[in-house]
Each structure stands twice: as structure tokens, then as C-alpha cells.
Amino acid sequence: MLLIHCPYCEETLPEAEFAYAGEAHIARPADPSTLSDEEWRDFLFIRTNARGTHFERWRHIHGCGRFFNAARDTVSDRFLTTYKAGKARPDLSAVKEAAE
Amino acid sequence: MNTQKHDFTAAPVQIEELAPAARFSLRVRPDGRAALAQALGLDLPGGIGDRTADGGREALCLGPDEWLILAPEAAPLAKAAASVYADAPHSLTEISDREITLRLSGPQVLDLLASCCPRDVEAMPEGRGCRTVYDSATVTLWRDGPTEFRMDVWRSFLPHVLGLMALTKAELQAGL
């Protein structure tokens, strides 16, 4: 089982308490009515599907209930870092250096 | 030939249902916390998992803006909170009937919890609480002593949770 650090509870807890919630940092367009069908489709459905580092949302559903963001390596399943919702993407080179 | 004797009568865990009590779910933003704590006469702890108790009332911090409050009576608490609503907007919902509380105790209570709860319950300090999961049911776990816990279970999940606990208890009793 994966262990995930919740940035709100400040504890590392088992994956069973969390729910995956898709890719992170996807902002809803401010004025959807001005978008073309293709742009709207891209917003709704098109995702990076990264091989390697992936920024994604998780929810601590059986805990504090909060959504937060995580950077996970999709190949090794290793969590590089987690951070509170609304924060900018962290600098991953610093995170990787700290982990090594 | 060596034989091992099992004492099948000694209970490794005690599982009891507690009497109903008033229960509230409180949601309030950080800037309204102090005003509300003063109105309720109960300190609202700031860290997730922290607890306070005062005059029969108990508060447990479940999230950054969420508290679970236990009280002997519902009406005075609701009235006190309503009096500061204009200054500290909040949501105070009575959930007394939503959950049933179990008291779990006994020498093997940690084994009982470990059977279905993925969290490291043994590492949880005494006098703290948390919301976690028991099999697939969300529960609130309070640690009152080294081998003493309370568990709030949503009433519709209770038969499932009790069924699993009875099974685990039988296995523990058989020395498995």
C-alpha cells in the first residue's frame, strides 16, 4: 500500500484513506462561451497522461476531507511531494535532490 | 507431547455500545474560531486530531475548519452558537442520530483495530482522535487509553462493522 503525506493533517497515512481525483492545475476557462468546441473538449477530456512525474489531485476523504496536490512518478509510483491546494507547482529539482 | 492450553472464556476485547449523546458537526473559518469557542465555553483545538474536554463537553478537530463536538444536551449548545452567528458565521449541524458510539477495550484491542483499519493505530497518542476508515466505513476513532478506544460509526454501517468485529474477536479468542 502507498503511504501518502497529507499536507493538512501533516501525517503520512495509508492510501486507503485517500481518493484519487485526476490531474492537478487544470483551471476552468474564465468565459467558456467564447471557446471553440475543440478548446472545450481539450479542457474537459485531454490530459497529459505523463510517463514519469505527474501532478495530480488527491482527496483525504476518510480523514480531514481536503483536496490537495501531489507530484508522483507514474513509473515507480513514488510520491515526490504533496502540497496544499491552491499552491503553485513546487520546484521539482529541489524536491528530488532533497529525496536523494 | 506438548499441548497448548487455550483459555476460551477470557475476552480479548470488549465491544459495547454507548448510550446516545448529543453530537454536532461544526464548520467555521479560522477567523471565527475564537468567537465561537468563547460562546460555546469550549476551547476548539487547532491541530487536526487534537481534543479538548470541558464540563462534559468534548471537541475534536477533524479538519482545518471542522470540529466534532459531543455534549450531554443539544439545546444549550445550539442556542449559544446561534447567539454569535452574526459575528462568526458558521455551520453547526446536529448529527446525534447519525452515528452510534462503540467503546472498544481489552488487551487485544489493537489487534482488533489492525484487522480492518489501515492506519497505524498503535502509534496514535492517547487523548487524540481521528477520522479514518474501518474496512470500507468511515469512522471516528478516539483513543482514551493504551487499550481503550471509542469509535463513532454511521448507524447504517454498524451491522457491517459489528459483524467484522465479532469475526475478529472469535479469531482472537481462538488464539489465531
Side-chain angles (χ1 to χ4, degrees):
Chain A
M1 190 182 289
L2 298 173
L3 293 173
I4 303 174
H5 183 85
C6 173
Y8 292 95
C9 297
E10 291 168 350
E11 266 189 280
T12 302
L13 298 164
E15 181 196 356
E17 288 194 4
F18 296 84
Y20 178 70
E23 191 173 347
H25 301 291
I26 293 172
R28 183 183 165 86
D31 190 1
S33 60
T34 59
L35 261 56
S36 69
D37 286 352
E38 285 69 30
E39 286 169 323
W40 187 244
R41 174 205 63 197
D42 289 355
F43 160 68
L44 286 180
F45 304 116
I46 306 301
R47 297 292 178 260
T48 14
N49 195 22
R51 186 178 193 277
T53 306
H54 185 234
F55 290 92
E56 56 197 17
R57 295 196 309 155
W58 284 81
R59 186 179 180 204
H60 193 189
I61 187 161
H62 299 297
C64 63
R66 285 300 170 119
F67 281 90
F68 60 91
N69 294 334
R72 179 177 60 98
D73 190 307
T74 57
V75 179
S76 64
D77 242 359
R78 180 174 174 186
F79 279 83
L80 301 169
T81 185
T82 58
Y83 51 102
K84 290 182 181 179
K87 294 222 169 135
R89 281 170 211 246
D91 177 16
L92 275 186
S93 54
V95 171
K96 278 180 187 164
E97 263 174 41
E100 277 162 13
Chain B
M1 197 179 91
N2 288 325
T3 55
Q4 194 185 355
K5 274 190 178 172
H6 291 297
D7 182 5
F8 291 104
T9 49
V13 284
Q14 279 91 44
I15 303 163
E16 317 153 63
E17 273 183 39
L18 293 184
R23 236 188 287 270
F24 286 89
S25 168
L26 170 70
R27 306 292 300 260
V28 61
R29 288 179 193 274
D31 47 0
R33 179 159 73 103
L36 215 65
Q38 202 177 12
L40 298 177
L42 182 66
D43 189 27
L44 296 174
I48 295 173
D50 290 346
R51 280 162 55 178
T52 51
D54 191 4
R57 292 176 178 178
E58 279 188 272
L60 163 64
C61 183
L62 287 177
D65 61 354
E66 185 178 2
W67 286 268
L68 178 65
I69 298 175
L70 305 184
E73 270 187 278
L77 203 83
K79 206 176 154 194
S83 67
V84 291
Y85 187 80
D87 300 324
H90 61 270
S91 148
L92 184 79
T93 311
E94 192 185 340
I95 52 163
S96 311
D97 230 19
R98 189 178 75 175
E99 288 151 335
I100 288 170
T101 304
L102 301 174
R103 179 187 283 136
L104 310 170
S105 55
Q108 284 189 279
V109 70
L110 287 170
D111 293 328
L112 176 87
L113 289 167
S115 68
C116 291
C117 178
R119 195 183 266 247
D120 185 1
V121 179
E122 200 175 344
M124 184 175 168
E126 282 167 46
R128 279 175 67 83
C130 66
R131 188 156 52 195
T132 180
V133 65
Y134 191 85
D135 192 50
S136 52
T138 299
V139 298
T140 313
L141 200 60
W142 308 63
R143 189 168 195 176
D144 295 327
T147 58
E148 203 170 311
F149 291 86
R150 268 175 294 154
M151 185 190 267
D152 304 339
V153 188
W154 284 39
R155 58 168 58 246
S156 56
F157 296 138
L158 194 71
H160 175 64
V161 168
L162 282 179
L164 281 171
M165 282 183 177
L167 201 68
T168 314
K169 190 178 171 181
E171 286 180 355
L172 291 173
Q173 248 163 346
L176 292 171

